[in-house]
Amino acid sequence: AVVCFDPIGTGRRVEETTRFYDRYPEWSLLGKQVQDAQAALDALSALKYVDPERIWVVGYDVGALTAMHLAALDARPAGYGFVCPPLPFHLDTDERETGGLRRWSHELMLIPQMGVFAGHEGRLPYDLDDLMAAMAPRPLVLITPVYDRFAPPSKADAMEAAVRAHYDALGVSDRLVRVTPSKYNHFDNTMQRVLLDAMRGSDSE
């Protein structure tokens, strides 16, 4: 069973972002996307033919960012699979002119208040590698293509090393799987196949 949905600001829900911060000044679009993901979990778990103990969450690019924050707030998912996940903020300093932290705060307006840390990423109260490390001992699959302009291999290596340290400490290093295909940043059927194959290999059950 697979459920796909449009988080706010995507697909058929683009117009829902109109004047979002005027209407919800205490919210963030990322927070609303996480709430959307929790609602999807509610709906999926309610289906009689779905085992709520074996639900995986898959995210591509911004979807991976949302899923990382979902993992910090919701213990229901059994595992996670990320394709082209964003780099931790402290590794994404815009030296490659891809936006860095401002990609999330200014360009996409997902987490505007993070913009005050642009250029001072070391002062952030948390980071994405912290969120991924906290997923342990649940399975986590990372698909980081070689030709990803947002996450060059050397920085993706640093991200993996930080997360793997926590999986190793818990004795579940086999549940963190990283695949680095010779592809670019996209999510077509070939990348989906790479992800599914890696997910099967990471699920000890």
Side-chain angles (χ1 to χ4, degrees), residues 26-96:
E26 302 299 322
W27 273 76
S28 71
L29 279 171
L30 178 62
K32 183 62 172 71
Q33 289 185 348
V34 172
Q35 187 184 62
D36 290 344
Q38 290 182 302
L41 284 175
D42 293 341
L44 189 60
S45 300
L47 298 175
K48 294 182 179 179
Y49 54 84
V50 170
D51 182 352
E53 301 297 320
R54 296 185 60 81
I55 294 174
W56 276 64
V57 174
V58 170
Y60 164 67
D61 192 52
V62 175
L65 177 73
T66 303
M68 291 177 195
H69 289 80
L70 172 68
L73 299 172
D74 201 309
R76 287 178 291 176
Y80 286 84
F82 299 153
V83 177
C84 305
L87 290 171
F89 303 131
H90 73 276
L91 293 175
D92 191 12
T93 56
D94 203 25
E95 61 193 49
R96 298 176 64 85

Side-chain angles (χ1 to χ4, degrees), residues 52-176:
E53 301 297 320
R54 296 185 60 81
I55 294 174
W56 276 64
V57 174
V58 170
Y60 164 67
D61 192 52
V62 175
L65 177 73
T66 303
M68 291 177 195
H69 289 80
L70 172 68
L73 299 172
D74 201 309
R76 287 178 291 176
Y80 286 84
F82 299 153
V83 177
C84 305
L87 290 171
F89 303 131
H90 73 276
L91 293 175
D92 191 12
T93 56
D94 203 25
E95 61 193 49
R96 298 176 64 85
E97 299 182 355
T98 56
L101 190 56
R102 288 188 176 90
R103 176 186 176 201
W104 311 115
S105 64
H106 289 64
E107 180 184 348
L108 299 177
M109 294 293 290
L110 290 176
I111 36 179
Q113 293 187 15
M114 284 290 200
V116 302
F117 295 99
H120 306 282
E121 289 80 4
R123 299 180 183 176
L124 284 161
Y126 78 98
D127 212 329
L128 301 183
D129 49 352
D130 300 323
L131 299 183
M132 286 185 283
M135 294 177 189
R138 289 177 287 180
L140 171 60
V141 173
L142 304 174
I143 308 299
T144 58
V146 174
Y147 307 108
D148 185 346
R149 68 189 184 96
F150 295 107
S154 61
K155 291 196 172 186
D157 289 345
M159 174 180 68
E160 179 193 2
V163 177
R164 186 165 295 282
H166 291 265
Y167 275 77
D168 290 347
L170 293 177
V172 291
S173 57
D174 58 325
R175 294 191 182 182
L176 174 60

